[in-house]
Amino acid sequence: MDLGAITKYSALHAKPNGLILQYGTAGFRTKAEHLDHVMFRMGLLAVLRSKQTKSTIGVMVTASHNPEEDNGVKLVDPLGEMLAPSWEEHATCLANAEEQDMQRVLIDISEKEAVNLQQDAFVVIGRDTSEKLSQSVIDGVTVLGGQFHDYGLLTTPQLHYMVYCRNTGGRYGKATIEGYYQKLSKAFVELTKQASCSGDEYRSLKVDCANGIGALKLREMEHYFSQGLSVQLFNDGSKGKLNHLCGADFVKSHQKPPQGMEIKSNERCCSFDGDADRIVYYYHDADGHFHLIDGDKIATLISSFLKELLVEIGESLNIGVVQTAYANGSSTRYLEEVMKVPVYCTKTGVKHLHHKAQEFDIGVYFEANGHGTALFSTAVEMKIKQSAEQLEDKKRKAAKMLENIIDLFNQAAGDAISDMLVIEAILALKGLTVQQWDALYTDLPNRQLKVQVADRRVISTTDAERQAVTPPGLQEAINDLVKKYKLSRAFVRPSGTEDVVRVYAEADSQESADHLAHEVSLAVFQLAGGIGERPQPGF
């Protein structure tokens, strides 16, 4: 490790005084002008992680679902997963180190993690925004002697895919953008050929790309799958601002269509977020009412279809759906009671869902915000491929469908493009309209609020964030409030990024859900050190 060169380069990427950042589920996130030093240092960290794991590591420069003036960076571990928790701590420590402490922190990380500094390192880099910030990552990689490949403009899930391909010796797919397009499109086209429905009603989709990278990549990919699906792109980045009044986060939060998209009744529409790792669907009914189909209903459609295929080929594989406390109670009941699919709950944050989903032969996970995928164990992939060759006609057809579905998922990460193609294929195969999909179950009315507090750390939780442990008396107060309403539940959890407490409530009517959310907010304000104005009723 050439400490002199690192010190010299680091001075060119100086850290602003007093800036403290935390590596979270979405990596580092802040205003773009404050991130140059972080990018350089994440280049350094990626090299150390690559040396330690003897694998390719990914670095993604992305604003994600945040406003245009923000930016961020996340590291991708060897099998396309999010960075290991112990290395998240190293990332936070390195990003916040003062210039004079940089050498010591790098040596500390190397010693704690037993990094062989003589080991070769290889880092792949992608970006959906700033080339300048991407160059800062490259500076960090090269000063520590790492090799790199810069993929340039990619969606976040595409970089996860590249890392996974490279570290599995091409078994998962070719580590090129063409390889990604071909793998997914081939599986999609083969699947939709099996669909018995005809006409355009199942074959046309309006896509809001949040003025992000998804528009560019869908345009490049479109001709590969156009015989199975026609997509019409909106908010494609030609004029609007990234994630402004559009995108999956906006549609989910505001329960209304994005700006710049006209919707006729019963037209199928979806929205990506800025880096194309989330997707939500929606439509207007004949009366002009807006209907959102979020991650819960996406998980339900996918897991139900997978279970039907398994039943058809006679395979009794271990399938599970993983949700967070934010999943609508109706979705959980439908999966458990109607589809007889086991459901598990984890803490909020896609890394927690991903980790739990890996415990099953087939694990389907989606956050309500539309971030998710399905994971298939290697043993399952082998079994399904063998079944597709050995079974009699009808069963072989179902096994072949399952094989295509496996190829269609980007199992390294939640991927809006991959998920969109899976959903479109399933709707076509089952002959379902968007309204029929929506009618599988009716969401319980719900309300999300936030309460400003002096210190969010006064709230601690257990049971996948569904029960408050501290402050004393808060959970008892919530329990008493919940008893007043039918089909109700409520929970509170501290924000991961700001001093607010997030409140979720659901009940049998919107009025009841609103009242319950307000009353729980008051309990939080009184018992957890609320500041500013007391929560007011009305939304």
Side-chain angles (χ1 to χ4, degrees):
M1 197 175 342
D2 186 344
L3 296 173
I6 291 166
T7 301
K8 183 179 149 197
Y9 261 86
S10 187
L12 301 174
H13 300 280
K15 172 181 173 289
N17 282 333
L19 181 65
I20 302 292
L21 295 172
Q22 179 79 33
Y23 194 102
T25 301
F28 289 112
R29 288 273 165 276
T30 191
K31 295 282 183 282
E33 67 260 29
H34 299 323
L35 278 168
D36 178 52
H37 73 292
V38 173
M39 298 295 174
F40 172 73
R41 294 174 185 198
M42 290 309 100
L44 298 173
L45 192 73
V47 170
L48 294 183
R49 182 65 169 153
S50 176
K51 287 175 184 285
Q52 189 223 21
T53 58
K54 300 180 182 171
S55 307
T56 296
I57 296 296
V59 182
M60 184 70 200
V61 178
T62 171
S64 192
H65 56 276
N66 292 39
E68 191 169 59
E69 58 275 12
D70 287 6
N71 218 306
V73 59
K74 16 182 145 166
L75 270 66
V76 180
D77 253 0
L79 293 180
E81 328 96 310
M82 293 179 166
L83 189 61
S86 61
W87 282 77
E88 286 186 7
E89 289 174 27
H90 297 325
T92 298
C93 193
L94 186 59
N96 293 326
E98 298 304 332
E99 290 296 325
Q100 64 270 22
D101 299 325
M102 276 274 293
Q103 292 185 10
R104 178 185 58 75
V105 172
L106 285 168
I107 291 166
D108 277 356
I109 295 169
S110 303
E111 288 174 354
K112 268 184 197 160
E113 298 292 347
V115 176
N116 173 9
L117 294 171
Q118 305 313 308
Q119 174 70 36
D120 289 342
F122 196 84
V123 177
V124 292
I125 299 153
R127 64 184 173 86
D128 58 25
T129 46
S130 170
E131 192 170 359
K132 182 172 175 292
L133 289 177
S134 196
Q135 184 57 51
S136 302
V137 175
I138 292 169
D139 287 353
V141 172
T142 50
V143 77
L144 259 187
Q147 300 295 305
F148 71 92
H149 178 80
D150 182 7
Y151 279 101
L153 291 167
L154 286 182
T155 70
T156 296
Q158 284 170 346
L159 185 74
H160 284 259
Y161 166 89
M162 302 304 173
V163 172
Y164 197 9
C165 289
R166 283 174 177 269
N167 288 321
T168 51
R171 182 183 65 79
Y172 184 66
K174 287 184 193 162
T176 63
I177 196 65
E178 290 292 316
Y180 171 92
Y181 293 155
Q182 286 166 357
K183 182 185 180 192
L184 268 62
S185 300
K186 180 171 178 275
F188 174 75
V189 170
E190 281 192 21
L191 261 178
T192 49
K193 277 180 190 163
Q194 309 290 326
S196 55
C197 59
S198 60
D200 290 333
E201 66 268 34
Y202 300 112
R203 299 283 191 250
S204 175
L205 178 68
K206 288 186 168 178
V207 186
D208 157 34
C209 298
N211 292 314
I213 187 70
L216 176 68
K217 295 301 164 185
L218 257 188
R219 281 238 163 83
E220 289 176 2
M221 187 178 184
E222 196 179 348
H223 71 275
Y224 287 94
F225 61 72
S226 54
Q227 67 193 85
L229 176 69
S230 161
V231 292
Q232 199 178 347
L233 306 188
F234 295 84
N235 299 314
D236 63 357
S238 55
K239 44 182 187 291
K241 285 172 68 176
L242 179 69
N243 295 314
H244 181 61
L245 302 177
C246 59
D249 208 46
F250 172 84
V251 172
K252 168 76 176 151
S253 304
H254 293 83
Q255 302 273 318
K256 65 181 184 183
Q259 198 174 68
M261 186 193 274
E262 287 295 316
I263 306 178
K264 297 190 187 112
S265 74
N266 298 324
E267 272 188 324
R268 207 165 57 260
C269 308
C270 70
S271 284
F272 294 178
D273 67 334
D275 65 339
D277 64 2
R278 296 180 183 188
I279 185 170
V280 294
Y281 270 69
Y282 45 93
Y283 68 98
H284 275 153
D285 63 24
D287 297 325
H289 295 134
F290 176 80
H291 293 255
L292 175 73
I293 301 178
D294 64 8
D296 297 341
K297 276 208 169 127
I298 293 171
T300 302
L301 179 77
I302 290 167
S303 55
S304 303
F305 186 69
L306 291 172
K307 176 144 193 219
E308 285 167 21
L309 289 179
L310 290 173
V311 168
E312 205 161 312
I313 61 177
E315 287 288 2
S316 56
L317 295 169
N318 176 14
I319 183 169
V321 174
V322 187
Q323 298 182 327
T324 70
Y326 286 107
N328 196 278
S330 289
S331 72
T332 311
R333 270 192 289 278
Y334 178 83
L335 283 164
E336 290 181 332
E337 294 169 16
V338 180
M339 292 310 303
K340 308 294 185 198
V341 174
V343 179
Y344 300 84
C345 189
T346 71
K347 286 168 69 175
T348 305
V350 77
K351 64 184 175 188
H352 301 299
L353 291 106
H354 191 92
H355 183 68
K356 184 68 182 174
Q358 288 174 317
E359 295 177 14
F360 307 99
D361 293 332
I362 302 175
V364 178
Y365 73 84
F366 272 85
E367 291 190 289
N369 64 26
H371 192 163
T373 191
L375 305 178
F376 302 82
S377 71
T378 308
V380 165
E381 289 189 50
M382 295 297 295
K383 210 171 188 181
I384 298 303
K385 280 194 166 77
Q386 286 166 358
S387 298
E389 289 158 14
Q390 295 165 358
L391 294 167
E392 65 267 22
D393 280 357
K394 192 180 176 199
K395 288 187 174 181
R396 191 189 303 126
K397 184 179 170 186
K400 192 68 190 161
M401 279 186 191
L402 199 45
E403 194 181 341
N404 285 328
I405 288 268
I406 291 170
D407 282 343
L408 198 41
F409 271 112
N410 183 352
Q411 295 183 58
D415 181 343
I417 294 175
S418 160
D419 292 340
M420 177 192 81
L421 293 176
V422 170
I423 290 162
E424 291 300 316
I426 294 173
L427 292 177
L429 287 163
K430 290 180 71 68
L432 284 176
T433 64
V434 70
Q435 307 93 300
Q436 288 167 325
W437 173 20
D438 189 29
L440 287 176
Y441 63 81
T442 303
D443 277 331
L444 282 168
N446 57 83
R447 178 65 65 191
Q448 292 185 45
L449 300 174
K450 53 187 184 182
V451 181
Q452 205 150 9
V453 292
D455 181 1
R456 67 182 183 274
R457 290 170 299 182
V458 301
I459 300 255
S460 61
T461 63
T462 187
D463 186 24
E465 301 178 309
R466 291 177 289 190
Q467 297 281 315
V469 179
T470 59
L474 179 57
Q475 188 57 51
E476 290 76 7
I478 294 170
N479 293 345
D480 289 342
L481 292 168
V482 164
K483 285 176 194 163
K484 293 165 55 179
Y485 302 94
K486 290 179 187 167
L487 296 176
S488 63
R489 68 184 182 99
F491 67 89
V492 300
R493 56 180 283 270
S495 162
T497 53
E498 51 186 330
D499 279 322
V500 299
V501 175
R502 302 195 184 280
V503 173
Y504 178 90
E506 65 184 29
D508 65 334
S509 72
Q510 191 62 57
E511 188 182 13
S512 293
D514 289 347
H515 280 307
L516 177 56
H518 172 62
E519 289 178 325
V520 172
S521 297
L522 283 174
V524 169
F525 190 85
Q526 287 156 4
L527 297 170
I531 57 173
E533 194 181 344
R534 281 167 62 85
Q536 299 297 311
F539 305 97

